[in-house]
Amino acid sequence: MADEYPNPFRSEQMSLVQLFVPTEVAHDTVAELGELGNVQFKDLNPSVNPFQRSFVGEIRRIDEMSRRVRFFANQIEKEKDIVPIRPLYDSAPLITVGPRAAQTIDELDVTLAEHESRLVKMNDSYQTLSERTKELVEAWHVLRETAVFFDRAQGQQTNIRSSFDDSSAPLLQHDEREAQFSANVQFDLEFVAGTIERARIPIFERVLWRVLRGNLYMNHTDIVEPFVNPATGEETRKNVFIIFAHGDALLSKIRKVAESMGATLYPIDPNADKRSDSLREVTVRLEDIQSVLYNTGLNRRAELVKLGESLRIWQDVVRKEKMIYETLNLFNYDVRRKTLIAEAWVPTRDITNIQIALRHATEESGTNVSPILHELRTHKTPPTFIRTNKFTVGFQTIMDSYGTAKYQETNPGLFAITTFPFLFAVMFGDIGHGFIIFCGALYMILSEKRLARQDLGEIMGQFFFGRYIILLMGMFSMYTGLMYNDIFSRALHIWHSGWTFPESNTTSITGVNTGHVYPLGLDPGWHGADNILVFTNSYKMKMAIVLGVTHMTFALCLQIPNHIKFKRPVDIYANFIPQMIFLQSIFGYLAICILYKWSIDWSKTNAVPPSLLNMLIAMFLSPMEIKPELRLYRGQGVVQPILLLLAAVCVPWLLITKPYIAWKEMNRIHHQGYSGLGDGPRDEPDDVLEAEEEGDGRAIVEDASEEHEQHDFGEVVIHQVIHTIEFCLGCISHTASYLRLWALSLAHAQLSEVLWSMTLEPVLGPTSLFGWIALILMGLFWFSATVFVLCIMEGLSAFLHALRLHWVEANSKHFEGGGHVFNPLTFADESVRE
């Protein structure tokens, strides 16, 4: 069991356990552990083909059930009118554990098969009726349009097409005698009638013109109503055509061309009376078949509504059953004991809950044989598991995206709860903008139960997942906005300003310091001053350096808990101490100089405030010589060379110390006569051999193949050289990288100022109706731009920069990584949404 109370400072302490599960309670045991969600099973059959495992038959059966459930879901989704689906939390549960579990699954299988059979038959009938309806509708249109054509043809003066390129007249039209279209005259020309897609009409005309050399007459008209494919829902628009030609050879060519282009031909009698009879007959049949189609559609929808009542619970049961049998396939079957043997990683603190779950599974199954659990001794590296809640999961996910921490390594996600929103707020500081995103996050938190059951989409889902991150970012932004004295680019006059501006007729007025110090934040007297950008530029740039050095120093200090936990005292004085001295002797010294320079009232001294950037450059170029304009304090000429010497000493200290200690240790072991592991006979203690006899043999063998990784001396030297170069150069680049705090803060303030001055400021103080209308319109535009540009777009930019500062600048100082994520069997992670 755990010797210490678990906390988010490190990952959970894990244990490798072995389970002996009787076959009659195996299903219920895995189901109970899946509901518990804190057991990661190992595959004890890595060499066995997936199709040769014990429960492959059950998995195939569940896959078939899953296919049927997916078929039902697809049919409901394709339905035009929305079919109501009962949510999972409102559905009656199916009991799939206990003595009646097998019977329940059998009944479910039969039920799904019956529903599928009925739905398939209804779909086939509906498809057949739809196709028949489509044919009758086309035939009705052909008969009607043919009759209309013949009626119009009588007494009509046709327009002769003068040119093939004249698109205003129908193609293939030619003049015929009026007497030809008389109802009392027998036709010498035969005709072909049918329907074709509207988009193919021009091509159809040109092909017929070339094939028949113009020896035909063609007319076509549009069918107004589109034809809808019941299977795909696609709409198709068609035209009715009638083509006159003389001779069987020409008619045969027309039919072949029409069929090759997807046209549907219908036999139309040339006699008008017979055409009328056919039209009446088709109309009656169409009404009958439409009535049957409507009733079939109602029955099909009733079946889908019935399926929607149970769809979610079926999906849940099938998903869980498949996960259970896939997990059972990871177990090893002991033929002698007729039990299933499993090995799994579990949080040590949850072993008691797991044992309670095993007893509960035994009671539910109605048997007296209980699964046996005991811990295994192992040197294998356990998975990394950091327990989170709805507040901390967002911050932990951000840190885990950088990499999975090593087992029991210091968890950077704990400190990111404070540092991440704070660094974001430094770049985003504004009371008004912070309040807007705070209100948005607060709304999502207050409505989280309702929103969690909805499909918010990919973008809104990400915002909802990070609602607590956004809440803290808004709170910290309001705090930094108070420090900047900035609310929508305006100043707050909470206390009296320390500056007064005397009245003057000149265009430029110089403020007078009254000696009063503004208690909190930036003095509002600076807002509106011509040199505010010069002041805030210097202030925020130096503040970014101080915050950056502080953040890197804190991240570097997180090495100490790791070195102590993993018993690596050599790394403390071979890595941590020289790294800390190197960082503080240069950049820590710069941060202290910034704070010291801020603490001096330079107006009361005769000295000129030195440029810290020039002072730092001169520290490297001429450390012994301090120019008067670069002198900040007494003894500067002594302190700076010492700090520079310490930084120079730290480089060989980092390069040589650890490889030298590793070389001495290797020589000491070699002189003592030790050889590599596995070269000689095994000499195990009695308790280990006894545990091996009791069934711990697999874990022991795996331990032998996964001892601590051994490195030769050359690898240690190369690694240390790379580590030293990376750290020394990284201190410079990372410190400069924190200047993004200054740059984004300045840019955000200027964007807010520009937006205010170009939208709301010109229309303030309206004196007429048009002035009030302009104020309302500009106010809406200003608020929309504030939300979408300054809060969302600028907020995302600041978010990404804060993310980079944690991943690169901070984590590179202490993060080791190399762990593997704890991936337990759980039914909660893939829950079916409403």
Side-chain angles (χ1 to χ4, degrees), residues 511-586:
V512 178
N513 191 351
T514 62
H516 172 70
V517 178
Y518 200 72
L520 186 65
L522 191 65
D523 194 306
W526 284 101
H527 281 268
D530 292 339
N531 59 341
I532 182 176
L533 194 59
V534 177
F535 173 75
T536 55
N537 188 38
S538 174
Y539 163 65
K540 291 183 178 181
M541 180 173 62
K542 292 180 175 62
M543 179 190 66
I545 295 296
V546 173
L547 292 177
V549 173
T550 304
H551 193 209
M552 289 191 294
T553 301
F554 174 74
L556 194 61
C557 289
L558 293 181
Q559 287 188 16
I560 294 293
N562 288 337
H563 297 330
I564 295 175
K565 177 67 179 179
F566 301 130
K567 298 179 174 59
R568 299 182 306 215
V570 173
D571 286 328
I572 295 179
Y573 54 83
N575 279 333
F576 170 73
I577 293 178
Q579 287 177 357
M580 181 62 73
I581 293 175
F582 183 87
L583 178 64
Q584 301 305 322
S585 61
I586 300 176

Side-chain angles (χ1 to χ4, degrees), residues 488-778:
F488 297 123
S489 76
R490 301 292 92 192
L492 286 176
H493 293 266
I494 303 176
W495 296 281
H496 294 293
S497 172
W499 296 90
T500 60
F501 296 91
E503 295 183 2
S504 175
N505 295 327
T506 60
T507 57
S508 178
I509 303 174
T510 303
V512 178
N513 191 351
T514 62
H516 172 70
V517 178
Y518 200 72
L520 186 65
L522 191 65
D523 194 306
W526 284 101
H527 281 268
D530 292 339
N531 59 341
I532 182 176
L533 194 59
V534 177
F535 173 75
T536 55
N537 188 38
S538 174
Y539 163 65
K540 291 183 178 181
M541 180 173 62
K542 292 180 175 62
M543 179 190 66
I545 295 296
V546 173
L547 292 177
V549 173
T550 304
H551 193 209
M552 289 191 294
T553 301
F554 174 74
L556 194 61
C557 289
L558 293 181
Q559 287 188 16
I560 294 293
N562 288 337
H563 297 330
I564 295 175
K565 177 67 179 179
F566 301 130
K567 298 179 174 59
R568 299 182 306 215
V570 173
D571 286 328
I572 295 179
Y573 54 83
N575 279 333
F576 170 73
I577 293 178
Q579 287 177 357
M580 181 62 73
I581 293 175
F582 183 87
L583 178 64
Q584 301 305 322
S585 61
I586 300 176
F587 302 103
Y589 171 68
L590 177 61
I592 293 173
C593 289
I594 291 173
L595 298 176
Y596 179 74
K597 184 180 178 181
W598 279 349
S599 66
I600 297 175
D601 187 358
W602 294 95
S603 63
K604 297 180 180 179
T605 63
N606 297 325
V608 178
S611 170
L612 297 182
L613 179 60
N614 294 334
M615 186 193 76
L616 187 66
I617 295 174
M619 176 180 170
F620 287 90
L621 298 180
S622 55
M624 305 299 295
E625 179 185 355
I626 306 298
K627 297 180 181 180
E629 65 272 12
L630 299 179
R631 185 174 299 277
L632 181 63
Y633 59 91
R634 292 180 182 179
Q636 186 175 347
V638 177
V639 174
Q640 290 187 171
I642 294 175
L643 294 176
L644 203 59
L645 181 62
L646 287 175
V649 169
C650 288
V651 177
W653 187 351
L654 280 169
L655 279 173
I656 297 173
T657 307
K658 189 173 181 179
Y660 175 72
I661 294 174
W663 175 73
K664 285 192 64 177
E665 183 68 17
M666 292 171 61
N667 285 340
R668 184 181 64 82
I669 294 174
H670 181 70
H671 289 316
Q672 288 178 353
Y674 289 103
S675 58
L677 293 172
D679 294 342
R682 287 178 57 190
D683 185 12
E684 302 288 358
D686 294 339
D687 57 346
V688 174
L689 295 176
E690 183 180 351
E692 198 175 77
E693 294 177 359
E694 292 296 325
D696 295 0
R698 180 177 183 83
I700 301 293
V701 171
E702 288 180 346
D703 291 347
S705 63
E706 192 179 314
E707 291 292 339
H708 296 292
E709 189 176 359
Q710 302 294 327
H711 300 284
D712 58 24
F713 181 69
E715 292 179 349
V716 174
V717 172
I718 294 174
H719 177 270
Q720 195 66 19
V721 169
I722 295 174
H723 181 69
T724 302
I725 296 174
E726 181 184 9
F727 177 80
C728 295
L729 296 180
C731 284
I732 302 172
S733 62
H734 292 172
T735 305
S737 181
Y738 278 93
L739 291 175
R740 70 185 69 236
L741 299 174
W742 152 59
L744 266 77
S745 174
L746 213 59
H748 185 77
Q750 290 302 305
L751 279 174
S752 181
E753 174 70 27
V754 169
L755 182 63
W756 176 275
S757 61
M758 295 186 67
T759 56
L760 269 185
E761 191 174 32
V763 297
L764 290 177
T767 58
S768 63
L769 177 61
F770 293 103
W772 282 104
I773 294 175
L775 178 61
I776 294 172
L777 294 177
M778 279 299 175

Side-chain angles (χ1 to χ4, degrees), residues 136-156:
L136 289 176
V137 169
E138 290 184 1
W140 183 83
H141 279 286
V142 170
L143 288 169
R144 190 191 68 172
E145 296 301 333
T146 303
V148 170
F149 171 77
F150 280 115
D151 292 340
R152 286 180 181 177
Q154 194 171 12
Q156 178 182 2

Side-chain angles (χ1 to χ4, degrees), residues 427-439:
M427 297 177 278
F428 194 76
D430 188 288
I431 298 175
H433 300 159
F435 181 73
I436 290 175
I437 63 175
F438 173 81
C439 291

Side-chain angles (χ1 to χ4, degrees), residues 118-312:
R118 282 200 298 270
L119 190 58
V120 168
K121 289 180 180 178
M122 289 181 182
N123 287 342
D124 293 341
S125 300
Y126 194 83
Q127 181 75 20
T128 303
L129 290 173
S130 298
E131 292 292 336
R132 186 57 184 156
T133 302
K134 176 184 172 183
E135 293 175 359
L136 289 176
V137 169
E138 290 184 1
W140 183 83
H141 279 286
V142 170
L143 288 169
R144 190 191 68 172
E145 296 301 333
T146 303
V148 170
F149 171 77
F150 280 115
D151 292 340
R152 286 180 181 177
Q154 194 171 12
Q156 178 182 2
Q157 293 292 334
T158 58
N159 295 323
I160 301 175
R161 182 171 177 137
S162 59
S163 170
F164 179 78
D165 296 326
D166 183 9
S167 60
S168 61
L171 188 65
L172 311 179
Q173 185 176 355
H174 60 87
D175 192 15
E176 298 289 346
R177 291 172 305 193
E178 295 181 4
Q180 182 179 353
F181 300 102
S182 174
N184 299 322
V185 178
Q186 185 68 28
F187 289 100
D188 294 331
L189 294 177
E190 298 182 11
F191 61 90
V192 175
T195 59
I196 190 172
E197 288 187 21
R198 188 169 301 169
R200 298 184 178 181
I201 282 291
I203 302 176
F204 187 43
E205 287 182 323
R206 285 166 173 77
V207 171
L208 288 176
W209 177 269
R210 288 172 174 79
V211 170
L212 302 183
R213 303 178 183 274
N215 296 317
L216 74 159
Y217 174 83
M218 177 178 176
N219 191 28
H220 61 84
T221 185
D222 297 344
I223 300 177
V224 179
E225 299 83 6
F227 294 90
V228 181
N229 189 331
T232 61
E234 296 180 357
E235 291 187 354
T236 304
R237 297 189 177 273
K238 293 191 174 184
N239 280 27
V240 175
F241 66 86
I242 181 169
I243 304 171
F244 289 89
H246 183 71
D248 293 338
L250 296 182
L251 293 176
S252 176
K253 289 182 179 180
I254 293 173
R255 292 189 181 94
K256 289 181 180 180
V257 171
E259 290 173 356
S260 67
M261 300 192 67
T264 306
L265 302 180
Y266 293 92
I268 305 298
D269 198 284
N271 186 277
D273 296 334
K274 291 184 179 180
R275 285 199 306 272
S276 299
D277 295 340
S278 299
L279 182 61
R280 285 193 294 270
E281 181 183 356
V282 168
T283 303
V284 173
R285 292 175 60 190
L286 183 60
E287 291 176 354
D288 294 340
I289 201 168
Q290 283 179 340
S291 176
V292 176
L293 181 65
Y294 177 75
N295 292 328
T296 304
L298 288 181
N299 294 333
R300 181 177 177 275
R301 178 170 176 80
E303 180 70 15
L304 292 178
V305 171
K306 186 177 179 181
L307 292 175
E309 291 289 323
S310 306
L311 181 64
R312 293 296 184 228

